[in-house]
Coordinates of all heavy atoms in Angstrom, one line a residue:
M1 N -94.6 292.7 175.7 CA -95.2 293.9 175.1 C -94.8 295.2 175.9 O -94.6 295.2 177.1 CB -96.8 293.8 175.2 CG -97.3 292.6 174.5 SD -97.1 292.7 172.7 CE -98.6 293.7 172.3
D2 N -94.6 296.2 175.1 CA -94.2 297.5 175.7 C -95.2 298.5 175.1 O -95.9 298.3 174.1 CB -92.8 297.8 175.2 CG -92.0 298.5 176.4 OD1 -92.7 299.3 177.1 OD2 -90.8 298.3 176.5
K3 N -95.3 299.7 175.8 CA -96.3 300.7 175.4 C -95.6 301.8 174.5 O -94.6 302.3 174.9 CB -96.9 301.3 176.6 CG -98.1 302.1 176.4 CD -98.7 302.5 177.7 CE -100.0 303.3 177.5 NZ -100.6 303.8 178.7
D4 N -96.2 302.0 173.4 CA -95.8 303.1 172.5 C -96.2 304.4 173.3 O -97.3 304.7 173.6 CB -96.6 303.0 171.2 CG -96.3 304.1 170.2 OD1 -96.1 305.3 170.7 OD2 -96.4 303.9 169.0
P5 N -95.1 305.2 173.7 CA -95.4 306.4 174.5 C -96.2 307.5 173.8 O -96.7 308.4 174.4 CB -94.0 306.8 175.0 CG -93.1 306.3 173.9 CD -93.7 305.1 173.3
V6 N -96.2 307.4 172.5 CA -96.8 308.5 171.7 C -98.3 308.3 171.6 O -99.1 309.2 171.9 CB -96.2 308.6 170.3 CG1 -96.9 309.7 169.4 CG2 -94.7 309.0 170.4
C7 N -98.8 307.1 171.1 CA -100.2 306.9 170.9 C -100.8 306.0 172.0 O -102.0 305.8 172.1 CB -100.4 306.3 169.5 SG -99.7 304.6 169.4
G8 N -100.0 305.3 172.8 CA -100.5 304.5 173.9 C -100.8 303.1 173.5 O -101.3 302.3 174.4
M9 N -100.5 302.7 172.3 CA -100.8 301.3 171.8 C -99.7 300.4 172.4 O -98.6 300.8 172.6 CB -100.6 301.3 170.3 CG -101.7 300.6 169.5 SD -101.5 300.8 167.8 CE -100.5 299.3 167.5
M10 N -100.1 299.1 172.7 CA -99.2 298.1 173.1 C -98.4 297.6 171.9 O -99.0 297.3 170.9 CB -99.9 297.0 173.8 CG -100.6 297.4 175.1 SD -99.5 298.4 176.3 CE -98.4 297.0 176.9
V11 N -97.1 297.6 172.0 CA -96.2 297.2 170.9 C -95.3 296.0 171.3 O -94.8 296.0 172.4 CB -95.4 298.4 170.4 CG1 -94.4 298.0 169.3 CG2 -96.2 299.5 170.0
D12 N -95.2 295.0 170.4 CA -94.3 293.9 170.7 C -92.9 294.4 170.2 O -92.8 294.7 169.0 CB -94.8 292.7 169.8 CG -93.8 291.5 170.0 OD1 -92.7 291.7 170.5 OD2 -94.3 290.4 169.7
P13 N -91.9 294.5 171.1 CA -90.6 295.0 170.7 C -90.0 294.3 169.5 O -89.3 294.9 168.7 CB -89.8 294.8 171.9 CG -90.7 294.8 173.1 CD -92.0 294.2 172.5
K14 N -90.3 293.0 169.3 CA -89.8 292.3 168.2 C -90.4 292.7 166.9 O -89.9 292.4 165.8 CB -90.0 290.7 168.4 CG -89.1 290.2 169.5 CD -89.0 288.7 169.6 CE -90.3 288.1 170.1 NZ -90.5 288.4 171.5
R15 N -91.6 293.2 166.9 CA -92.3 293.6 165.7 C -92.5 295.1 165.6 O -93.2 295.6 164.7 CB -93.8 293.0 165.7 CG -93.7 291.5 165.7 CD -95.1 290.9 166.0 NE -95.1 289.5 166.1 CZ -95.3 288.7 165.1 NH1 -95.6 289.2 163.9 NH2 -95.3 287.4 165.2
A16 N -91.9 295.9 166.5 CA -92.0 297.3 166.5 C -91.5 298.0 165.2 O -90.6 297.5 164.6 CB -91.3 297.9 167.7
A17 N -92.2 299.0 164.8 CA -91.7 299.7 163.5 C -90.5 300.5 163.8 O -89.7 300.9 162.8 CB -92.8 300.7 163.1
G18 N -90.2 300.8 165.1 CA -89.0 301.5 165.4 C -88.7 301.6 166.9 O -89.7 301.3 167.6
S19 N -87.6 302.0 167.3 CA -87.3 302.2 168.7 C -86.3 303.3 168.9 O -85.5 303.6 167.9 CB -86.7 300.9 169.3 OG -85.4 300.6 168.7
S20 N -86.4 303.9 170.0 CA -85.4 305.0 170.4 C -85.0 304.9 171.8 O -85.8 304.7 172.7 CB -86.1 306.4 170.2 OG -86.5 306.7 168.9
P21 N -83.7 305.0 172.0 CA -83.2 305.0 173.4 C -83.3 306.4 174.0 O -83.0 307.4 173.3 CB -81.7 304.6 173.3 CG -81.3 305.0 171.9 CD -82.6 305.1 171.0
Y22 N -83.8 306.5 175.2 CA -83.9 307.8 175.9 C -83.9 307.6 177.4 O -84.6 306.7 177.9 CB -85.2 308.5 175.4 CG -85.3 309.9 176.0 CD1 -84.6 310.9 175.5 CD2 -86.1 310.1 177.1 CE1 -84.7 312.2 176.1 CE2 -86.2 311.3 177.7 CZ -85.5 312.4 177.2 OH -85.6 313.6 177.8
G23 N -83.1 308.3 178.0 CA -83.0 308.3 179.5 C -82.7 306.9 180.1 O -83.2 306.6 181.1
G24 N -81.9 306.1 179.4 CA -81.5 304.8 179.9 C -82.5 303.7 179.6 O -82.4 302.6 180.1
K25 N -83.6 304.0 178.8 CA -84.6 303.1 178.5 C -84.8 303.1 177.0 O -84.5 304.1 176.3 CB -85.9 303.6 179.2 CG -87.1 302.6 179.2 CD -88.3 303.2 179.8 CE -89.5 302.3 179.9 NZ -89.8 301.5 178.7
T26 N -85.3 301.9 176.5 CA -85.6 301.9 175.0 C -87.1 302.0 174.8 O -87.8 301.2 175.4 CB -85.0 300.6 174.4 OG1 -83.6 300.6 174.6 CG2 -85.3 300.7 172.9
Y27 N -87.6 302.9 174.0 CA -89.0 303.0 173.7 C -89.3 302.4 172.3 O -88.5 302.6 171.4 CB -89.4 304.5 173.8 CG -89.3 305.1 175.2 CD1 -88.1 305.6 175.6 CD2 -90.4 305.0 176.0 CE1 -88.0 306.1 176.9 CE2 -90.3 305.5 177.3 CZ -89.1 306.1 177.7 OH -89.0 306.6 179.0
Y28 N -90.4 301.8 172.2 CA -90.8 301.1 171.0 C -92.1 301.8 170.4 O -92.9 302.2 171.2 CB -91.1 299.6 171.2 CG -89.8 298.9 171.7 CD1 -89.5 298.7 173.0 CD2 -88.9 298.5 170.7 CE1 -88.3 298.1 173.4 CE2 -87.7 297.8 171.1 CZ -87.4 297.6 172.4 OH -86.3 297.0 172.8
F29 N -92.1 301.7 169.1 CA -93.2 302.5 168.4 C -94.0 301.6 167.4 O -93.4 300.7 166.8 CB -92.6 303.7 167.7 CG -91.8 304.5 168.6 CD1 -90.5 304.4 168.7 CD2 -92.5 305.4 169.5 CE1 -89.7 305.1 169.6 CE2 -91.7 306.1 170.4 CZ -90.4 306.0 170.5
C30 N -95.3 301.9 167.3 CA -96.1 301.1 166.3 C -95.9 301.5 164.9 O -96.2 300.8 164.0 CB -97.6 301.3 166.7 SG -98.2 303.0 166.4
S31 N -95.3 302.7 164.7 CA -95.1 303.2 163.3 C -94.0 304.2 163.3 O -93.6 304.7 164.3 CB -96.4 304.0 162.9 OG -96.6 305.2 163.6
A32 N -93.5 304.4 162.1 CA -92.4 305.4 161.9 C -92.8 306.8 162.3 O -92.0 307.6 162.8 CB -91.9 305.3 160.5
G33 N -94.1 307.1 162.1 CA -94.6 308.4 162.5 C -94.5 308.6 164.0 O -94.2 309.7 164.4
C34 N -94.9 307.6 164.8 CA -94.8 307.7 166.2 C -93.4 307.9 166.6 O -93.1 308.7 167.5 CB -95.4 306.5 166.9 SG -97.2 306.6 167.0
K35 N -92.4 307.2 166.0 CA -91.0 307.3 166.3 C -90.5 308.7 166.0 O -89.9 309.4 166.9 CB -90.2 306.3 165.6 CG -88.7 306.5 165.8 CD -87.9 305.4 165.2 CE -86.4 305.8 164.9 NZ -85.7 306.3 166.1
S36 N -90.9 309.3 164.9 CA -90.4 310.6 164.6 C -91.0 311.7 165.5 O -90.4 312.7 165.8 CB -90.5 311.0 163.1 OG -91.9 311.0 162.7
T37 N -92.3 311.5 165.9 CA -92.9 312.4 166.8 C -92.2 312.4 168.2 O -91.9 313.4 168.7 CB -94.4 312.0 167.0 OG1 -95.1 312.1 165.8 CG2 -95.1 312.9 168.0
F38 N -91.8 311.1 168.6 CA -91.1 311.0 169.9 C -89.7 311.6 169.7 O -89.3 312.4 170.6 CB -90.9 309.5 170.2 CG -90.2 309.2 171.5 CD1 -90.8 309.2 172.7 CD2 -88.8 309.0 171.4 CE1 -90.1 308.9 173.9 CE2 -88.1 308.8 172.6 CZ -88.8 308.7 173.8
D39 N -89.0 311.4 168.6 CA -87.6 311.9 168.5 C -87.6 313.4 168.4 O -86.6 314.0 168.8 CB -87.0 311.3 167.2 CG -86.6 309.8 167.3 OD1 -86.6 309.3 168.5 OD2 -86.4 309.1 166.3
R40 N -88.6 314.0 168.0 CA -88.7 315.5 167.9 C -88.8 316.1 169.3 O -88.3 317.2 169.6 CB -89.8 316.0 167.1 CG -89.5 316.1 165.6 CD -90.5 317.0 164.9 NE -91.9 316.5 165.0 CZ -92.4 315.6 164.1 NH1 -91.7 315.1 163.2 NH2 -93.6 315.2 164.3
N41 N -89.4 315.4 170.3 CA -89.6 315.9 171.6 C -89.7 314.8 172.6 O -90.8 314.6 173.2 CB -90.9 316.8 171.6 CG -91.0 317.6 172.9 OD1 -90.1 317.6 173.7 ND2 -92.0 318.4 173.0
P42 N -88.6 314.0 172.8 CA -88.7 312.8 173.7 C -89.1 313.2 175.2 O -89.9 312.4 175.8 CB -87.3 312.2 173.7 CG -86.4 313.3 173.1 CD -87.3 314.2 172.3
A43 N -88.7 314.3 175.6 CA -89.1 314.7 177.0 C -90.6 314.8 177.3 O -91.0 314.6 178.4 CB -88.4 316.0 177.4
K44 N -91.3 315.1 176.2 CA -92.8 315.2 176.4 C -93.4 313.9 176.6 O -94.5 313.8 177.2 CB -93.3 315.9 175.1 CG -94.8 316.1 175.1 CD -95.2 316.8 173.8 CE -96.8 316.8 173.7 NZ -97.2 317.4 172.4
F45 N -92.8 312.8 176.0 CA -93.5 311.5 176.0 C -92.9 310.5 177.0 O -93.6 309.6 177.4 CB -93.5 310.9 174.6 CG -94.2 311.7 173.5 CD1 -93.5 312.5 172.6 CD2 -95.6 311.8 173.5 CE1 -94.1 313.3 171.7 CE2 -96.2 312.5 172.6 CZ -95.5 313.3 171.7
A46 N -91.6 310.7 177.2 CA -90.9 309.7 178.2 C -91.4 310.0 179.6 O -91.6 311.1 180.0 CB -89.4 309.9 178.0
K47 N -91.7 308.9 180.3 CA -92.1 309.0 181.7 C -91.0 308.5 182.6 O -90.5 307.4 182.3 CB -93.4 308.3 181.9 CG -94.5 308.9 181.1 CD -95.6 309.3 182.1 CE -96.6 310.2 181.4 NZ -97.3 309.6 180.3
Ligands
ZN1 ZN1 -97.9 304.6 167.9

């Protein structure tokens, strides 16, 4: 399980609605909405 950085939900990478690579790490999202929010401003959500 990995954490959706936008909403904080735990997401199974195999079932994630989307993923985005950022800063050498891959982030997984519960929904396409969380992915697009992240993609608009990844620096705000990536830790
Ligand atoms: Zn989410």
